Amino acid sequence: MTLPAQDIHRDNVRVIVADEGPNVVLLTGVLRQVDDRDWLAQLIGEWHEAAVAAECPEIVLDLRELEYANSAVWKCLTNWVRLIHRDQRAVYCLRIRARAGAHWQQLGLSALQLVGGPRVILQ
Amino acid sequence: MPALHVSMVVDRDWANIDRIRVAVSQAILAVFGDLESRDALAMVAAELLENAIKYAAPQATTVRVAVYDMSRDIVVAVSNEVSDDAAERLRRRVEWVRAFSSGEEAYLAAICEAYQANDAQGASPGLGLARVVHEGGCELHLEAREAQVTLRASRCVQRSKEVHA
């Protein structure tokens, strides 16, 4: 385990990082960011540093219970992918679990994988 | 007669975005019974309202949101007061999105632009508008009258009764 356990309620969203098992970040509810420097960006920075410090091979981002995300959230995720690519210390991949019936997730993640290449794995 | 015509004037408050998203979602589902259009147009209303709240002129306190059907289209229209600079930026962004041959191309270009952006640049409305076109399946039309801009997103839908006929 490398990511610190977290259970954050903020507005209409909940962010959970379990305190045991693999590095899974679970997002549930409605996630809206004012811009790509909002609080999610700070959390991503913390997760990234923890993964780098532990030479973690993978972080799992579970979006299956995420009802909605605005475009600033997609920018945050795009920035995360850029951070993984640009930080030479980072060896981890981002595995993203999407909900099969959520058309919006499939479209957004397809585009994210385009810039992420092999460092983004869709599931 | 239109089957749907909802017009709302809402305070320029971030908390209203999700209320409007849910309201539009329920109205679309009630009238058209189309789950895909419900999700798409709820997202469209939220993204357009979000942009309007973010980029409205400082003195603007409200934003107008209308959802109505016209022929085979459902239209989401968001009107707000903007500065000349903001109106010009919006006009350029709408033209940028419309210049692509498909919504998918615009969306991918917006993601690539976000990926390549300098960290200090911050948010721009490009990805949200590209999402409206690609994910929302909409065409964008911008109308500016003095300090008031109206951005309309129209999506062609089949009425559920036609689909089921």
Side-chain angles (χ1 to χ4, degrees):
Chain A
M1 185 64 206
T2 54
L3 300 189
Q6 289 172 314
D7 188 352
I8 299 167
H9 292 256
R10 201 147 177 172
D11 301 323
N12 296 322
V13 73
R14 188 174 177 192
V15 182
I16 302 169
V17 181
D19 59 358
E20 56 185 39
N23 296 306
V24 179
V25 176
L26 177 65
L27 299 177
T28 69
V30 175
L31 179 55
R32 185 179 305 284
Q33 298 284 282
V34 172
D35 57 33
D36 58 356
R37 288 168 287 186
D38 206 345
W39 58 267
L40 180 63
Q42 294 175 26
L43 281 180
I44 287 172
E46 292 170 14
W47 298 331
H48 175 79
E49 286 303 325
V52 165
E55 297 181 348
C56 165
E58 182 173 281
I59 291 180
V60 177
L61 183 63
D62 192 336
L63 306 181
R64 289 175 297 177
E65 293 181 39
L66 190 63
E67 181 188 334
Y68 179 80
N70 69 346
S71 58
V73 173
W74 290 109
K75 283 184 185 168
C76 285
L77 297 180
T78 305
N79 292 349
W80 191 356
V81 170
R82 186 178 61 208
L83 183 61
I84 293 170
H85 283 158
R86 290 190 182 171
D87 188 345
Q88 294 182 343
R89 301 171 302 154
V91 295
Y92 70 93
C93 293
L94 190 58
R95 180 180 295 275
I96 305 179
R97 293 180 182 154
R99 191 167 69 247
H103 191 52
W104 67 274
Q105 291 189 3
Q106 307 297 331
L107 291 178
L109 291 173
S110 298
L112 193 65
Q113 193 174 38
L114 189 78
V115 293
R119 302 297 284 274
V120 173
I121 302 161
L122 303 186
Q123 191 177 332
Chain B
M1 288 289 288
L4 174 66
H5 196 134
V6 179
S7 183
M8 298 165 276
V9 178
V10 297
D11 284 339
R12 190 182 166 191
D13 180 346
W14 194 251
N16 281 331
I17 297 170
D18 212 53
R19 295 187 191 118
I20 295 298
R21 185 182 69 84
V22 171
V24 170
S25 165
Q26 292 173 343
I28 298 289
L29 187 62
V31 175
F32 298 99
D34 176 353
L35 290 173
E36 194 176 318
S37 291
R38 176 198 67 178
D39 293 345
L41 290 165
M43 177 277 294
V44 167
E47 288 287 351
L48 296 187
L49 178 58
E50 189 179 311
N51 277 346
I53 288 175
K54 273 189 198 173
Y55 302 110
Q59 70 275 15
T61 56
T62 58
V63 175
R64 180 181 294 275
V65 181
V67 186
Y68 52 92
D69 71 325
M70 197 168 60
S71 186
R72 289 183 173 272
D73 289 348
I74 301 179
V75 180
V76 177
V78 175
S79 306
N80 61 291
E81 192 179 340
V82 293
S83 67
D84 290 346
D85 286 349
E88 178 58 21
R89 281 196 300 273
L90 181 59
R91 187 189 64 76
R92 284 202 301 263
R93 266 332 213 175
V94 170
E95 283 183 2
W96 182 81
V97 170
R98 292 180 62 174
F100 291 92
S101 60
S102 71
E104 182 179 17
E105 274 188 26
Y107 188 81
L108 293 176
I111 286 281
C112 288
E113 185 183 81
Y115 178 81
Q116 291 161 355
N118 186 307
D119 290 332
Q121 282 180 303
S124 73
L127 183 58
L129 294 183
R131 192 179 182 198
V132 165
V133 173
H134 178 40
E135 191 184 317
C138 290
E139 289 185 10
L140 289 174
H141 309 271
L142 181 66
E143 182 182 317
R145 283 185 186 171
E146 298 178 352
Q148 194 79 13
V149 293
T150 299
L151 188 52
R152 292 186 178 83
S154 57
R155 173 185 165 94
C156 184
V157 290
Q158 289 285 338
R159 303 274 178 88
S160 58
K161 60 186 177 188
E162 292 170 346
V163 170
H164 295 144

